[in-house]
Structures are given as C-alpha cells and as structure tokens.
Amino acid sequence: MTGSGYCVLPGGDVIVALTLPRPPCGPLGGTTGAGRGADDASVRVLVRAKNRARALTRLRNLGLRAVYLRGNIAPPTPDEITAVLHHPEGLLWRAAPDDPYELWHPIAALLRPQGVLGAEPGARAA
C-alpha cells in the first residue's frame, strides 16, 4: 500500500493518512469523469485516534478489512492534520489527493451504496 503514513501530535493522539483504492460501492466507484481513469482510482483517508492500532481498527470496523500501515512514506501534511482535527468524527476522505480544490468528505459518504445516492429526494422507501 503506497502513500501511507502517520504523525504523533503533542497531546499523544495519532493521525494516520492512507491512500486506498476507491471502493466500488461508493459514489466514485470505478472510473470518474474529468479525465480520471482506472489508474487514478484512489482516495486519501485520514483517521484520528489514540494510537495507530486504534486508527486502523476504526477503518476495519467500517468494512475496509485489508488496511495496513507499513512504513511512514507519506505522513499527513499540515493541511490534512488541520482538516481531521476540526472534524467531529476525526475520519475524512478526499477523492483526488493531488487536487488542492477537492474538499474533504465524511467517511459515510465514501461507503454509502450507490443505490442510496441515486434515490429521489422525495421518494419513499419500500
């Protein structure tokens, strides 16, 4: 797994940053528009926890089972640290890690099935 790393904050918390393949069930599963192909099908995930093991456990509990942190090749940048510290859940993702205009999203938006995204706002569930 490339592009992962962590940093320890002065208070003892740890922020883990992972670049993961884009899940097929999410809103951006497979290829996307704007010139992105299957080669660029990755997301940057940020997790704040008490230690590295708990950070990875938080992701595994959400269904991302094959998540491992090997090395500290790409630790979170200061902007990423600020983003995850100001989020109440402490768990964010971004579709295009190299695009400075891409916003951070809560993790629930990544793992939501596509059927939920395509539902009409006024439609009732059967």
Side-chain angles (χ1 to χ4, degrees):
M1 186 161 308
T2 62
S4 61
Y6 67 94
C7 71
V8 181
L9 299 176
D13 286 351
V14 173
I15 296 178
V16 174
L18 300 163
T19 302
L20 303 172
R22 196 173 286 155
C25 66
L28 300 172
T31 60
T32 60
R36 290 189 202 138
D39 297 340
D40 193 24
S42 64
V43 294
R44 179 84 164 169
V45 178
L46 301 174
V47 184
R48 183 184 65 199
K50 290 293 180 188
N51 56 42
R52 287 181 290 169
R54 286 189 183 187
L56 296 176
T57 301
R58 288 186 72 187
L59 290 174
R60 290 181 185 133
N61 287 342
L62 291 171
L64 300 171
R65 299 289 181 206
V67 175
Y68 298 99
L69 180 63
R70 295 189 178 112
N72 199 11
I73 297 170
T77 64
D79 291 336
E80 292 175 336
I81 293 170
T82 302
V84 76
L85 286 176
H86 285 89
H87 193 270
E89 292 177 11
L91 196 56
L92 300 171
W93 70 278
R94 181 164 69 174
D98 297 329
D99 184 8
Y101 300 108
E102 175 71 25
L103 299 177
W104 290 99
H105 308 283
I107 198 71
L110 177 66
L111 301 174
R112 185 180 304 141
Q114 283 188 349
V116 175
L117 292 174
E120 294 293 325
R124 292 177 45 180

